[in-house]
Amino acid sequence: QMRARNVLREFNSYDEALAYYHGPDYSRAHPLREPYSVCDFLIVEGYDGPQPQPVGTPPAPARLKGYWIAHVDITDMEGYKSYMAANQKPFGMYGARYLVRAGRSELMEGRQRSRTVVIEFPSYEAAVACYRSPEYQAAKALRQGKAGADIVALEAYDGA
């Protein structure tokens, strides 16, 4: 189950993110949060591999992007491959781009599933529409019984 609040912070590299977590700035801030919250905090490596191919005309970009954060435990990797192939069409239709796709990770606090995926969309509306689309629901059906997943759709932070 996902927490009520989700924060995604991008760094230039996995090593930079680790250094920040262990560095003086976060070391001073961390104790200020602890008495007031429960946190699942993980550092995950970005993804630099193939992206979903566009299908049709993807939704127009909005001022704020949308994201999926998925935490997944795969129980049948061979069976899961059909889901991974089938989700490419709806991801292409809705302008999805992988930011994180099961790279290196380190759990700093709380709990973690075996795989973390972060997908960027042109807007929050596109992220939600992709999930609700018949194409993604058909792909999701292929995942049933092969993996457990917690997925949340988020809108980017606007600084307000």
Side-chain angles (χ1 to χ4, degrees):
Q1 178 171 327
M2 300 292 271
R3 301 281 186 200
R5 182 177 194 144
N6 291 270
V7 177
L8 174 66
R9 174 142 186 219
E10 190 172 5
F11 288 85
N12 292 319
S13 71
Y14 181 83
D15 293 331
E16 183 181 305
L18 280 173
Y20 180 79
Y21 181 84
H22 294 295
D25 291 336
Y26 189 72
S27 292
R28 281 190 300 272
H30 181 207
L32 300 174
R33 176 188 54 78
E34 279 199 337
Y36 308 106
S37 66
V38 176
C39 180
D40 297 326
F41 192 121
L42 51 144
I43 296 173
V44 294
E45 184 172 46
Y47 178 75
D48 192 24
Q51 295 291 342
Q53 294 299 307
V55 175
T57 304
R63 185 176 69 82
L64 297 175
K65 293 180 180 182
Y67 300 90
W68 283 11
I69 299 177
H71 299 289
V72 183
D73 282 327
I74 299 170
T75 55
D76 175 357
M77 188 52 161
E78 282 306 307
Y80 189 76
K81 289 177 182 178
S82 62
Y83 162 74
M84 291 189 333
N87 69 25
Q88 295 304 290
K89 180 178 180 183
F91 289 170
M93 292 169 60
Y94 290 91
R97 185 173 79 89
Y98 295 108
L99 299 182
V100 171
R101 194 174 187 199
R104 285 187 295 174
S105 67
E106 185 170 333
L107 179 65
M108 309 317 267
E109 303 173 43
R111 64 182 191 269
Q112 175 183 11
R113 288 194 182 240
S114 61
R115 177 178 283 210
T116 298
V117 179
V118 179
I119 304 171
E120 179 183 81
F121 291 86
S123 67
Y124 173 75
E125 292 76 18
V128 171
C130 180
Y131 187 84
R132 293 178 178 161
S133 72
E135 294 82 3
Y136 183 75
Q137 291 302 306
K140 179 182 165 196
L142 297 172
R143 187 184 74 217
Q144 299 302 315
K146 293 151 186 84
D150 298 318
I151 301 173
V152 64
L154 306 169
E155 185 171 45
Y157 176 63
D158 69 357

